[in-house]
Amino acid sequence: MSIMPTLTLTDGKDPQVEEFLYQVFYSTKQEEAVSWGFPLEETDSFIRTQWVIRQQAYQLQYPYAKTELIIDNHRWIGSLMTLRTEEALHLIDLALLPTYRNQQHGSSIITKLQQDASERHIPILLHVLAMNPALRLYQRMGFIITGNHEPYLSMQWTMDTGT
């Protein structure tokens, strides 16, 4: 098994890609929705509504962001959304299907982003839910908390703070 996934740019308009991106999103929200007491039969409808709202919000907030499919051994395993500006690399979303989590795929992607940011002498900025298990990954990768906007934390990585 490879721990160096590749990235391929997508516009998300291909119906197969769009459905895959939704499935990745669904996989990150399903447990959360069930924990809130949503009956299983209503979970998909609720999460699909969240998906549509998120897609519209991202389009408004980050119209120039790039979405990439994360691929390992010719399989789509997740997605990455970033926005690169002269001032910063914004990590908007990084998500993997459950079977590919905790296998260093996320670390590999973040390392690639850190190399890119280092070469450009810019920080990486992100927001993460305070309860998201990815918070520990970001901290291990050298990100520091720069703000608390409940329920989100702002984080930053620079060459100076990174490992």
Side-chain angles (χ1 to χ4, degrees):
M1 170 177 38
S2 166
I3 60 167
M4 292 301 289
T6 58
L7 299 172
T8 189
L9 191 60
T10 181
D11 62 9
K13 293 180 182 173
D14 176 317
Q16 277 188 301
V17 171
E18 188 173 345
E19 182 58 25
F20 173 75
L21 294 173
Y22 169 71
Q23 290 303 320
V24 173
F25 178 78
Y26 182 90
S27 76
T28 67
K29 297 296 181 185
Q30 182 181 20
E31 259 184 49
E32 185 180 336
V34 170
S35 75
W36 292 342
F38 275 87
L40 198 52
E41 60 275 3
E42 294 177 24
T43 300
D44 185 63
S45 175
F46 172 73
I47 295 174
R48 193 157 298 268
T49 300
Q50 281 189 317
W51 165 254
V52 169
I53 292 167
R54 185 189 89 150
Q55 293 302 94
Q56 291 170 348
Y58 279 177
Q59 183 60 42
L60 289 172
Q61 288 178 294
Y62 310 108
Y64 302 107
K66 290 189 329 183
T67 299
E68 297 171 280
L69 296 177
I70 302 170
I71 302 170
D72 184 54
N73 291 326
H74 308 287
R75 291 190 180 141
W76 297 348
I77 67 168
S79 62
L80 173 69
M81 180 182 279
T82 57
L83 175 65
R84 288 167 170 82
T85 67
E86 290 184 19
E87 297 81 31
L89 190 160
H90 299 268
L91 174 51
I92 300 165
D93 189 57
L94 171 59
L96 297 166
L97 292 171
T99 55
Y100 297 96
R101 295 178 192 152
N102 300 311
Q103 296 181 23
Q104 299 187 359
H105 296 294
S107 298
S108 296
I109 296 296
I110 292 169
T111 297
K112 288 179 184 180
L113 295 175
Q114 289 171 327
Q115 291 168 347
D116 182 31
S118 293
E119 290 169 7
R120 297 175 59 212
H121 305 286
I122 58 173
I124 301 174
L125 306 175
L126 63 85
H127 299 281
V128 63
L129 280 168
M131 304 288 284
N132 188 326
L135 174 62
R136 290 187 308 276
L137 169 64
Y138 295 134
Q139 289 173 319
R140 277 196 322 269
M141 300 292 297
F143 286 79
I144 59 169
I145 296 171
T146 58
N148 184 348
H149 313 282
E150 290 187 18
Y152 291 94
L153 299 172
S154 298
M155 300 187 83
Q156 177 175 308
W157 178 90
T158 65
M159 289 175 44
D160 298 332
T161 60
T163 55

Tab-separated table of all heavy atoms in Angstrom, residues 53-107:
chain	number	residue	atom	x	y	z
A	53	ILE	N	-25.515	23.456	0.955
A	53	ILE	CA	-25.214	24.735	1.611
A	53	ILE	C	-23.708	24.972	1.648
A	53	ILE	O	-23.231	26.063	1.358
A	53	ILE	CB	-25.824	24.784	3.026
A	53	ILE	CG1	-27.353	24.830	2.922
A	53	ILE	CG2	-25.283	25.963	3.819
A	53	ILE	CD1	-28.061	24.578	4.234
A	54	ARG	N	-22.952	23.937	1.993
A	54	ARG	CA	-21.491	24.076	2.042
A	54	ARG	C	-20.916	24.399	0.671
A	54	ARG	O	-20.058	25.277	0.536
A	54	ARG	CB	-20.837	22.816	2.590
A	54	ARG	CG	-19.316	23.007	2.766
A	54	ARG	CD	-18.636	21.728	3.084
A	54	ARG	NE	-18.261	21.066	1.855
A	54	ARG	CZ	-17.214	20.275	1.733
A	54	ARG	NH1	-16.461	20.009	2.780
A	54	ARG	NH2	-16.928	19.712	0.585
A	55	GLN	N	-21.395	23.726	-0.356
A	55	GLN	CA	-20.890	23.980	-1.702
A	55	GLN	C	-21.163	25.428	-2.117
A	55	GLN	O	-20.307	26.090	-2.699
A	55	GLN	CB	-21.514	23.005	-2.706
A	55	GLN	CG	-21.100	21.563	-2.513
A	55	GLN	CD	-19.600	21.373	-2.604
A	55	GLN	OE1	-18.897	21.381	-1.596
A	55	GLN	NE2	-19.105	21.210	-3.801
A	56	GLN	N	-22.356	25.920	-1.815
A	56	GLN	CA	-22.696	27.303	-2.149
A	56	GLN	C	-21.837	28.277	-1.348
A	56	GLN	O	-21.341	29.270	-1.896
A	56	GLN	CB	-24.180	27.558	-1.886
A	56	GLN	CG	-25.087	26.822	-2.843
A	56	GLN	CD	-26.551	26.881	-2.442
A	56	GLN	OE1	-26.903	27.278	-1.335
A	56	GLN	NE2	-27.426	26.468	-3.352
A	57	ALA	N	-21.627	28.002	-0.077
A	57	ALA	CA	-20.813	28.876	0.769
A	57	ALA	C	-19.365	28.905	0.282
A	57	ALA	O	-18.754	29.974	0.199
A	57	ALA	CB	-20.878	28.423	2.229
A	58	TYR	N	-18.823	27.731	-0.038
A	58	TYR	CA	-17.448	27.687	-0.531
A	58	TYR	C	-17.312	28.443	-1.854
A	58	TYR	O	-16.316	29.130	-2.076
A	58	TYR	CB	-16.982	26.246	-0.714
A	58	TYR	CG	-16.517	25.559	0.556
A	58	TYR	CD1	-16.127	24.231	0.531
A	58	TYR	CD2	-16.453	26.222	1.784
A	58	TYR	CE1	-15.692	23.588	1.672
A	58	TYR	CE2	-16.035	25.584	2.928
A	58	TYR	CZ	-15.650	24.259	2.873
A	58	TYR	OH	-15.213	23.620	3.994
A	59	GLN	N	-18.296	28.309	-2.724
A	59	GLN	CA	-18.240	29.019	-4.003
A	59	GLN	C	-18.221	30.533	-3.787
A	59	GLN	O	-17.509	31.253	-4.480
A	59	GLN	CB	-19.413	28.614	-4.898
A	59	GLN	CG	-19.375	29.245	-6.264
A	59	GLN	CD	-18.128	28.894	-7.060
A	59	GLN	OE1	-17.675	27.764	-7.064
A	59	GLN	NE2	-17.548	29.868	-7.731
A	60	LEU	N	-18.994	31.007	-2.806
A	60	LEU	CA	-19.013	32.437	-2.499
A	60	LEU	C	-17.738	32.894	-1.797
A	60	LEU	O	-17.188	33.944	-2.120
A	60	LEU	CB	-20.231	32.777	-1.631
A	60	LEU	CG	-21.585	32.706	-2.331
A	60	LEU	CD1	-22.707	32.859	-1.316
A	60	LEU	CD2	-21.690	33.757	-3.417
A	61	GLN	N	-17.277	32.115	-0.830
A	61	GLN	CA	-16.097	32.498	-0.049
A	61	GLN	C	-14.795	32.283	-0.793
A	61	GLN	O	-13.848	33.042	-0.609
A	61	GLN	CB	-16.033	31.692	1.261
A	61	GLN	CG	-17.056	32.068	2.280
A	61	GLN	CD	-16.913	31.180	3.504
A	61	GLN	OE1	-17.150	29.973	3.449
A	61	GLN	NE2	-16.498	31.776	4.600
A	62	TYR	N	-14.724	31.230	-1.572
A	62	TYR	CA	-13.473	30.832	-2.214
A	62	TYR	C	-13.690	30.551	-3.704
A	62	TYR	O	-13.483	29.425	-4.163
A	62	TYR	CB	-12.911	29.577	-1.542
A	62	TYR	CG	-12.834	29.641	-0.043
A	62	TYR	CD1	-13.708	28.904	0.754
A	62	TYR	CD2	-11.888	30.441	0.591
A	62	TYR	CE1	-13.630	28.945	2.136
A	62	TYR	CE2	-11.809	30.491	1.973
A	62	TYR	CZ	-12.683	29.739	2.738
A	62	TYR	OH	-12.618	29.776	4.103
A	63	PRO	N	-14.079	31.547	-4.474
A	63	PRO	CA	-14.398	31.271	-5.884
A	63	PRO	C	-13.195	30.782	-6.703
A	63	PRO	O	-13.388	30.174	-7.753
A	63	PRO	CB	-14.905	32.613	-6.404
A	63	PRO	CG	-14.362	33.638	-5.465
A	63	PRO	CD	-14.250	32.959	-4.133
A	64	TYR	N	-11.984	31.014	-6.229
A	64	TYR	CA	-10.798	30.586	-6.978
A	64	TYR	C	-10.112	29.371	-6.367
A	64	TYR	O	-8.986	29.026	-6.746
A	64	TYR	CB	-9.810	31.754	-7.101
A	64	TYR	CG	-10.442	32.940	-7.791
A	64	TYR	CD1	-10.785	34.083	-7.073
A	64	TYR	CD2	-10.740	32.894	-9.145
A	64	TYR	CE1	-11.400	35.160	-7.706
A	64	TYR	CE2	-11.362	33.974	-9.783
A	64	TYR	CZ	-11.685	35.095	-9.049
A	64	TYR	OH	-12.301	36.151	-9.676
A	65	ALA	N	-10.786	28.716	-5.432
A	65	ALA	CA	-10.209	27.528	-4.806
A	65	ALA	C	-10.118	26.380	-5.802
A	65	ALA	O	-10.897	26.293	-6.755
A	65	ALA	CB	-11.047	27.116	-3.602
A	66	LYS	N	-9.143	25.499	-5.556
A	66	LYS	CA	-8.965	24.301	-6.375
A	66	LYS	C	-9.432	23.091	-5.571
A	66	LYS	O	-9.097	22.961	-4.399
A	66	LYS	CB	-7.499	24.080	-6.726
A	66	LYS	CG	-6.918	25.068	-7.680
A	66	LYS	CD	-5.526	24.683	-8.169
A	66	LYS	CE	-4.702	23.893	-7.185
A	66	LYS	NZ	-3.335	23.587	-7.619
A	67	THR	N	-10.173	22.212	-6.237
A	67	THR	CA	-10.546	20.938	-5.630
A	67	THR	C	-9.769	19.850	-6.352
A	67	THR	O	-9.722	19.814	-7.583
A	67	THR	CB	-12.055	20.679	-5.755
A	67	THR	OG1	-12.745	21.722	-5.070
A	67	THR	CG2	-12.432	19.335	-5.143
A	68	GLU	N	-9.157	18.972	-5.552
A	68	GLU	CA	-8.376	17.876	-6.105
A	68	GLU	C	-8.854	16.560	-5.504
A	68	GLU	O	-9.207	16.504	-4.328
A	68	GLU	CB	-6.893	18.076	-5.800
A	68	GLU	CG	-6.332	19.338	-6.458
A	68	GLU	CD	-4.924	19.656	-5.992
A	68	GLU	OE1	-4.793	20.231	-4.893
A	68	GLU	OE2	-3.982	19.319	-6.723
A	69	LEU	N	-8.858	15.532	-6.332
A	69	LEU	CA	-9.138	14.189	-5.846
A	69	LEU	C	-7.844	13.605	-5.319
A	69	LEU	O	-6.785	13.765	-5.937
A	69	LEU	CB	-9.669	13.303	-6.968
A	69	LEU	CG	-10.999	13.699	-7.579
A	69	LEU	CD1	-11.344	12.767	-8.736
A	69	LEU	CD2	-12.102	13.687	-6.540
A	70	ILE	N	-7.921	12.940	-4.184
A	70	ILE	CA	-6.771	12.239	-3.623
A	70	ILE	C	-6.886	10.800	-4.114
A	70	ILE	O	-7.907	10.144	-3.919
A	70	ILE	CB	-6.765	12.310	-2.087
A	70	ILE	CG1	-6.759	13.774	-1.629
A	70	ILE	CG2	-5.566	11.544	-1.524
A	70	ILE	CD1	-6.994	13.954	-0.133
A	71	ILE	N	-5.823	10.335	-4.756
A	71	ILE	CA	-5.838	9.022	-5.399
A	71	ILE	C	-4.711	8.177	-4.849
A	71	ILE	O	-3.572	8.640	-4.715
A	71	ILE	CB	-5.688	9.169	-6.932
A	71	ILE	CG1	-6.818	10.048	-7.481
A	71	ILE	CG2	-5.671	7.805	-7.608
A	71	ILE	CD1	-6.627	10.444	-8.929
A	72	ASP	N	-5.027	6.930	-4.519
A	72	ASP	CA	-4.018	5.968	-4.080
A	72	ASP	C	-4.283	4.656	-4.807
A	72	ASP	O	-5.407	4.148	-4.780
A	72	ASP	CB	-4.096	5.768	-2.562
A	72	ASP	CG	-3.002	4.848	-2.066
A	72	ASP	OD1	-1.817	5.124	-2.348
A	72	ASP	OD2	-3.332	3.846	-1.409
A	73	ASN	N	-3.257	4.117	-5.441
A	73	ASN	CA	-3.397	2.864	-6.190
A	73	ASN	C	-4.588	2.907	-7.145
A	73	ASN	O	-5.388	1.974	-7.209
A	73	ASN	CB	-3.518	1.671	-5.228
A	73	ASN	CG	-2.217	1.421	-4.487
A	73	ASN	OD1	-1.133	1.624	-5.032
A	73	ASN	ND2	-2.328	1.012	-3.245
A	74	HIS	N	-4.719	4.019	-7.861
A	74	HIS	CA	-5.754	4.209	-8.878
A	74	HIS	C	-7.171	4.271	-8.301
A	74	HIS	O	-8.138	4.107	-9.038
A	74	HIS	CB	-5.672	3.139	-9.967
A	74	HIS	CG	-4.299	3.020	-10.561
A	74	HIS	ND1	-3.769	3.965	-11.403
A	74	HIS	CD2	-3.341	2.071	-10.396
A	74	HIS	CE1	-2.545	3.605	-11.744
A	74	HIS	NE2	-2.259	2.472	-11.143
A	75	ARG	N	-7.290	4.484	-7.000
A	75	ARG	CA	-8.605	4.607	-6.359
A	75	ARG	C	-8.764	5.998	-5.782
A	75	ARG	O	-7.838	6.538	-5.180
A	75	ARG	CB	-8.745	3.594	-5.223
A	75	ARG	CG	-8.831	2.188	-5.683
A	75	ARG	CD	-9.220	1.289	-4.532
A	75	ARG	NE	-9.301	-0.070	-5.026
A	75	ARG	CZ	-8.892	-1.115	-4.368
A	75	ARG	NH1	-8.382	-0.987	-3.173
A	75	ARG	NH2	-9.014	-2.315	-4.891
A	76	TRP	N	-9.951	6.537	-5.938
A	76	TRP	CA	-10.270	7.806	-5.299
A	76	TRP	C	-10.465	7.537	-3.810
A	76	TRP	O	-11.301	6.716	-3.424
A	76	TRP	CB	-11.544	8.405	-5.869
A	76	TRP	CG	-11.489	8.761	-7.332
A	76	TRP	CD1	-10.385	8.822	-8.126
A	76	TRP	CD2	-12.588	9.101	-8.157
A	76	TRP	NE1	-10.731	9.188	-9.398
A	76	TRP	CE2	-12.092	9.370	-9.447
A	76	TRP	CE3	-13.946	9.207	-7.944
A	76	TRP	CZ2	-12.892	9.741	-10.505
A	76	TRP	CZ3	-14.769	9.579	-9.001
A	76	TRP	CH2	-14.236	9.842	-10.271
A	77	ILE	N	-9.699	8.231	-2.977
A	77	ILE	CA	-9.782	7.974	-1.536
A	77	ILE	C	-10.178	9.203	-0.727
A	77	ILE	O	-10.449	9.092	0.464
A	77	ILE	CB	-8.467	7.384	-0.980
A	77	ILE	CG1	-7.317	8.395	-1.053
A	77	ILE	CG2	-8.110	6.093	-1.715
A	77	ILE	CD1	-6.071	7.987	-0.275
A	78	GLY	N	-10.200	10.365	-1.360
A	78	GLY	CA	-10.554	11.571	-0.625
A	78	GLY	C	-10.491	12.794	-1.513
A	78	GLY	O	-10.341	12.695	-2.733
A	79	SER	N	-10.607	13.943	-0.854
A	79	SER	CA	-10.586	15.204	-1.590
A	79	SER	C	-9.836	16.272	-0.809
A	79	SER	O	-9.750	16.219	0.418
A	79	SER	CB	-12.008	15.672	-1.885
A	79	SER	OG	-12.703	15.914	-0.675
A	80	LEU	N	-9.322	17.227	-1.554
A	80	LEU	CA	-8.563	18.335	-0.994
A	80	LEU	C	-9.024	19.612	-1.676
A	80	LEU	O	-9.107	19.659	-2.905
A	80	LEU	CB	-7.060	18.133	-1.246
A	80	LEU	CG	-6.132	19.281	-0.875
A	80	LEU	CD1	-6.066	19.450	0.645
A	80	LEU	CD2	-4.745	19.041	-1.451
A	81	MET	N	-9.316	20.638	-0.883
A	81	MET	CA	-9.657	21.943	-1.441
A	81	MET	C	-8.691	22.963	-0.850
A	81	MET	O	-8.554	23.059	0.373
A	81	MET	CB	-11.094	22.337	-1.127
A	81	MET	CG	-11.476	23.701	-1.715
A	81	MET	SD	-13.155	24.215	-1.299
A	81	MET	CE	-14.061	23.298	-2.515
A	82	THR	N	-8.026	23.706	-1.727
A	82	THR	CA	-7.074	24.724	-1.294
A	82	THR	C	-7.265	25.993	-2.101
A	82	THR	O	-7.806	25.974	-3.207
A	82	THR	CB	-5.612	24.248	-1.488
A	82	THR	OG1	-5.412	23.904	-2.865
A	82	THR	CG2	-5.270	23.065	-0.594
A	83	LEU	N	-6.787	27.063	-1.523
A	83	LEU	CA	-6.729	28.346	-2.211
A	83	LEU	C	-5.341	28.909	-1.972
A	83	LEU	O	-4.928	29.108	-0.827
A	83	LEU	CB	-7.791	29.306	-1.677
A	83	LEU	CG	-7.738	30.731	-2.248
A	83	LEU	CD1	-8.038	30.720	-3.747
A	83	LEU	CD2	-8.708	31.629	-1.506
A	84	ARG	N	-4.618	29.140	-3.062
A	84	ARG	CA	-3.280	29.702	-2.968
A	84	ARG	C	-3.338	31.177	-3.364
A	84	ARG	O	-3.807	31.501	-4.444
A	84	ARG	CB	-2.327	28.932	-3.864
A	84	ARG	CG	-2.002	27.545	-3.339
A	84	ARG	CD	-1.324	26.689	-4.398
A	84	ARG	NE	-0.780	25.446	-3.879
A	84	ARG	CZ	-1.488	24.345	-3.677
A	84	ARG	NH1	-2.782	24.331	-3.952
A	84	ARG	NH2	-0.921	23.255	-3.212
A	85	THR	N	-2.864	32.031	-2.459
A	85	THR	CA	-2.757	33.452	-2.747
A	85	THR	C	-1.301	33.840	-2.555
A	85	THR	O	-0.478	33.025	-2.134
A	85	THR	CB	-3.652	34.294	-1.803
A	85	THR	OG1	-3.151	34.194	-0.467
A	85	THR	CG2	-5.110	33.843	-1.863
A	86	GLU	N	-0.981	35.083	-2.842
A	86	GLU	CA	0.393	35.546	-2.619
A	86	GLU	C	0.744	35.556	-1.137
A	86	GLU	O	1.903	35.423	-0.774
A	86	GLU	CB	0.583	36.938	-3.215
A	86	GLU	CG	0.570	36.943	-4.726
A	86	GLU	CD	0.849	38.318	-5.302
A	86	GLU	OE1	1.392	39.186	-4.582
A	86	GLU	OE2	0.530	38.515	-6.486
A	87	GLU	N	-0.280	35.710	-0.269
A	87	GLU	CA	-0.049	35.841	1.164
A	87	GLU	C	-0.085	34.522	1.921
A	87	GLU	O	0.516	34.404	2.986
A	87	GLU	CB	-1.084	36.777	1.800
A	87	GLU	CG	-1.043	38.198	1.296
A	87	GLU	CD	-1.785	38.371	-0.036
A	87	GLU	OE1	-2.763	37.638	-0.284
A	87	GLU	OE2	-1.371	39.228	-0.826
A	88	ALA	N	-0.841	33.527	1.420
A	88	ALA	CA	-1.015	32.294	2.182
A	88	ALA	C	-1.547	31.166	1.310
A	88	ALA	O	-2.117	31.392	0.245
A	88	ALA	CB	-1.983	32.523	3.347
A	89	LEU	N	-1.349	29.968	1.803
A	89	LEU	CA	-1.981	28.785	1.246
A	89	LEU	C	-3.104	28.431	2.229
A	89	LEU	O	-2.839	28.158	3.396
A	89	LEU	CB	-0.977	27.637	1.144
A	89	LEU	CG	-1.406	26.407	0.366
A	89	LEU	CD1	-0.175	25.610	-0.046
A	89	LEU	CD2	-2.373	25.540	1.085
A	90	HIS	N	-4.334	28.484	1.768
A	90	HIS	CA	-5.491	28.211	2.620
A	90	HIS	C	-5.910	26.760	2.423
A	90	HIS	O	-6.267	26.366	1.302
A	90	HIS	CB	-6.659	29.133	2.260
A	90	HIS	CG	-6.334	30.572	2.438
A	90	HIS	ND1	-6.584	31.251	3.605
A	90	HIS	CD2	-5.740	31.464	1.593
A	90	HIS	CE1	-6.177	32.504	3.473
A	90	HIS	NE2	-5.662	32.657	2.267
A	91	LEU	N	-5.830	25.983	3.480
A	91	LEU	CA	-6.309	24.609	3.463
A	91	LEU	C	-7.779	24.660	3.862
A	91	LEU	O	-8.109	24.836	5.030
A	91	LEU	CB	-5.501	23.740	4.432
A	91	LEU	CG	-5.957	22.300	4.641
A	91	LEU	CD1	-6.156	21.567	3.331
A	91	LEU	CD2	-4.974	21.573	5.533
A	92	ILE	N	-8.646	24.575	2.880
A	92	ILE	CA	-10.079	24.749	3.097
A	92	ILE	C	-10.715	23.446	3.549
A	92	ILE	O	-11.522	23.423	4.472
A	92	ILE	CB	-10.754	25.277	1.819
A	92	ILE	CG1	-10.133	26.625	1.432
A	92	ILE	CG2	-12.264	25.400	2.011
A	92	ILE	CD1	-10.455	27.071	0.022
A	93	ASP	N	-10.339	22.356	2.912
A	93	ASP	CA	-10.944	21.073	3.268
A	93	ASP	C	-10.020	19.939	2.852
A	93	ASP	O	-9.493	19.933	1.733
A	93	ASP	CB	-12.313	20.918	2.582
A	93	ASP	CG	-13.076	19.709	3.075
A	93	ASP	OD1	-13.307	19.630	4.295
A	93	ASP	OD2	-13.436	18.845	2.253
A	94	LEU	N	-9.838	19.007	3.755
A	94	LEU	CA	-9.099	17.777	3.496
A	94	LEU	C	-9.905	16.662	4.119
A	94	LEU	O	-10.161	16.681	5.328
A	94	LEU	CB	-7.700	17.841	4.125
A	94	LEU	CG	-6.873	16.550	4.133
A	94	LEU	CD1	-6.638	16.030	2.724
A	94	LEU	CD2	-5.554	16.779	4.846
A	95	ALA	N	-10.366	15.722	3.297
A	95	ALA	CA	-11.206	14.638	3.812
A	95	ALA	C	-10.871	13.341	3.098
A	95	ALA	O	-10.649	13.325	1.886
A	95	ALA	CB	-12.679	14.978	3.625
A	96	LEU	N	-10.846	12.279	3.872
A	96	LEU	CA	-10.574	10.943	3.352
A	96	LEU	C	-11.734	10.023	3.687
A	96	LEU	O	-12.378	10.179	4.735
A	96	LEU	CB	-9.296	10.379	3.977
A	96	LEU	CG	-8.010	11.123	3.674
A	96	LEU	CD1	-6.901	10.690	4.615
A	96	LEU	CD2	-7.592	10.888	2.234
A	97	LEU	N	-11.980	9.043	2.829
A	97	LEU	CA	-12.949	8.018	3.156
A	97	LEU	C	-12.484	7.277	4.407
A	97	LEU	O	-11.267	7.143	4.633
A	97	LEU	CB	-13.108	7.039	1.991
A	97	LEU	CG	-13.766	7.598	0.730
A	97	LEU	CD1	-13.669	6.592	-0.411
A	97	LEU	CD2	-15.221	7.981	0.992
A	98	PRO	N	-13.396	6.770	5.219
A	98	PRO	CA	-13.019	6.150	6.497
A	98	PRO	C	-11.963	5.055	6.400
A	98	PRO	O	-11.065	4.983	7.249
A	98	PRO	CB	-14.339	5.589	7.028
A	98	PRO	CG	-15.392	6.438	6.404
A	98	PRO	CD	-14.853	6.817	5.044
A	99	THR	N	-12.017	4.222	5.370
A	99	THR	CA	-11.046	3.122	5.281
A	99	THR	C	-9.629	3.591	4.996
A	99	THR	O	-8.690	2.805	5.104
A	99	THR	CB	-11.467	2.097	4.201
A	99	THR	OG1	-11.643	2.784	2.968
A	99	THR	CG2	-12.746	1.380	4.575
A	100	TYR	N	-9.462	4.859	4.635
A	100	TYR	CA	-8.135	5.385	4.319
A	100	TYR	C	-7.615	6.353	5.376
A	100	TYR	O	-6.536	6.923	5.223
A	100	TYR	CB	-8.146	6.060	2.938
A	100	TYR	CG	-8.457	5.066	1.850
A	100	TYR	CD1	-9.751	4.921	1.368
A	100	TYR	CD2	-7.462	4.235	1.343
A	100	TYR	CE1	-10.047	3.984	0.395
A	100	TYR	CE2	-7.750	3.296	0.369
A	100	TYR	CZ	-9.042	3.176	-0.100
A	100	TYR	OH	-9.334	2.235	-1.058
A	101	ARG	N	-8.375	6.534	6.436
A	101	ARG	CA	-7.931	7.413	7.522
A	101	ARG	C	-6.934	6.674	8.400
A	101	ARG	O	-6.911	5.453	8.460
A	101	ARG	CB	-9.129	7.881	8.355
A	101	ARG	CG	-10.079	8.745	7.545
A	101	ARG	CD	-11.293	9.175	8.345
A	101	ARG	NE	-12.283	9.745	7.433
A	101	ARG	CZ	-13.577	9.724	7.641
A	101	ARG	NH1	-14.082	9.218	8.747
A	101	ARG	NH2	-14.393	10.241	6.747
A	102	ASN	N	-6.093	7.436	9.084
A	102	ASN	CA	-5.096	6.886	10.014
A	102	ASN	C	-4.109	5.947	9.321
A	102	ASN	O	-3.651	4.983	9.912
A	102	ASN	CB	-5.782	6.180	11.189
A	102	ASN	CG	-6.664	7.133	11.961
A	102	ASN	OD1	-6.242	8.222	12.326
A	102	ASN	ND2	-7.905	6.736	12.177
A	103	GLN	N	-3.793	6.236	8.067
A	103	GLN	CA	-2.822	5.444	7.312
A	103	GLN	C	-1.738	6.331	6.706
A	103	GLN	O	-1.086	5.949	5.757
A	103	GLN	CB	-3.525	4.653	6.209
A	103	GLN	CG	-4.498	3.627	6.719
A	103	GLN	CD	-5.153	2.865	5.585
A	103	GLN	OE1	-4.620	2.775	4.466
A	103	GLN	NE2	-6.311	2.313	5.855
A	104	GLN	N	-1.601	7.533	7.200
A	104	GLN	CA	-0.596	8.514	6.790
A	104	GLN	C	-0.892	9.213	5.468
A	104	GLN	O	-0.084	9.988	4.979
A	104	GLN	CB	0.808	7.904	6.779
A	104	GLN	CG	1.234	7.418	8.146
A	104	GLN	CD	2.670	6.961	8.173
A	104	GLN	OE1	3.369	6.984	7.170
A	104	GLN	NE2	3.117	6.545	9.344
A	105	HIS	N	-2.051	8.967	4.890
A	105	HIS	CA	-2.403	9.669	3.654
A	105	HIS	C	-2.553	11.166	3.922
A	105	HIS	O	-2.047	11.992	3.163
A	105	HIS	CB	-3.699	9.115	3.056
A	105	HIS	CG	-3.607	7.682	2.634
A	105	HIS	ND1	-2.794	7.262	1.607
A	105	HIS	CD2	-4.223	6.573	3.105
A	105	HIS	CE1	-2.913	5.961	1.459
A	105	HIS	NE2	-3.777	5.518	2.352
A	106	GLY	N	-3.263	11.513	4.995
A	106	GLY	CA	-3.436	12.923	5.346
A	106	GLY	C	-2.112	13.593	5.641
A	106	GLY	O	-1.847	14.716	5.187
A	107	SER	N	-1.250	12.911	6.377
A	107	SER	CA	0.081	13.451	6.686
A	107	SER	C	0.875	13.698	5.413
A	107	SER	O	1.564	14.720	5.288
A	107	SER	CB	0.867	12.486	7.585
A	107	SER	OG	0.212	12.301	8.809
